[in-house]
Amino acid sequence: MRFRSMWMVLAAASMLPLSACGQSDSRTSSSAASDEGDTQAGGSPSAATGGRLTIPEDADPDTKNYYLTENAIAACMKKRGFSYTPSPGSTPNEASSAIDGADYALAKKYRQKYGFGIYSRAVYPNDPAAPGPSEHNDPNASYRSLLPAAQQQAYDKALGAPGAARDNGEYEGPAKGGCTAEAHLKVYGPAKTEAEQERENAKQEERDRQAGQALNGDQQLVSLAQEYATCLREYGITVSTTQPTSIGDMVKFQVSAEAPPDAQTLGKDEAMPKLTREIDLALKDLECGKNFRAAYWPKYKNNPYVGNNG
């Protein structure tokens, strides 16, 4: 059970733009770490001296590398005569992190109004707390738009295209010669060969397999998952799995599978009764899984599982 927000699952909203993708390890060059980033205890990234992003001490390696890359791009663009404001990237709203149920009190507060976040945007279209896709605003768009046409072209060339996916789906990396490529190289190092990437992928798959076995083989979690399932059945909710890595998202996925593709854009009158039912199921799921989640989350942190629930 990955306990991700509904819209991170359904919309696959990425936390990191393409400039930070394509490297599956967490390498960070010493020069990048020392020259391009400051850290702060906890919290969210914020502007530091010189416009750099400070990096929370508890940031995961991928997020840290992304911030370092943004700071390196800003330093490079400054050398080329342009202003560049590092962006912290797309950040899910508060409700997105509440849907998963890791924090029982927070999850209950949001589920009472928004359910799993499937129909809530249709009912509360102007509510910024309503679960929905992550938002990302480019802080450099207005600066670029004010430049003369010729300078805009020079800006784009200096920045460099972020790159795109190859036909096989792999990220090809940023265009050479631009600050994006320079920063990417500084933070992540040279691109891996195909053989190196295959070895890294194999290692990650093995780590993930072991994490899944640890969670699904934990007798406390197995027992609590059975109690969770029994409670759901008493409410007449279908139980399709009792696997610890799957059961926490099961009801949410069942509700989303029944929803139409345009669930977020339905008319309020049509969406309201659907949201009412969704809230009822979301709260029953939360209560039934309260003891299970309290035990699961600490163990998940020690064995982060990112597989396909099985």
Side-chain angles (χ1 to χ4, degrees), residues 92-105:
N93 59 24
E94 184 182 2
S96 297
S97 62
I99 295 171
D100 295 333
D103 184 321
Y104 172 80

Side-chain angles (χ1 to χ4, degrees), residues 1-2 203-219 221-222 241-247 292 296 299-310:
M1 176 180 56
R2 297 181 59 186
K203 290 180 181 178
Q204 177 57 47
E205 289 175 2
E206 177 58 21
R207 288 192 294 267
D208 196 51
R209 184 188 67 80
Q210 292 179 7
Q213 285 185 338
L215 294 170
N216 290 323
D218 186 291
Q219 291 306 305
L221 295 182
V222 169
T241 179
T242 58
Q243 193 174 51
T245 54
S246 303
I247 192 170
F292 171 80
Y296 182 90
K299 296 183 179 184
Y300 172 87
K301 290 179 180 178
N302 292 328
N303 293 283
Y305 175 68
V306 294
N308 294 319
N309 292 332

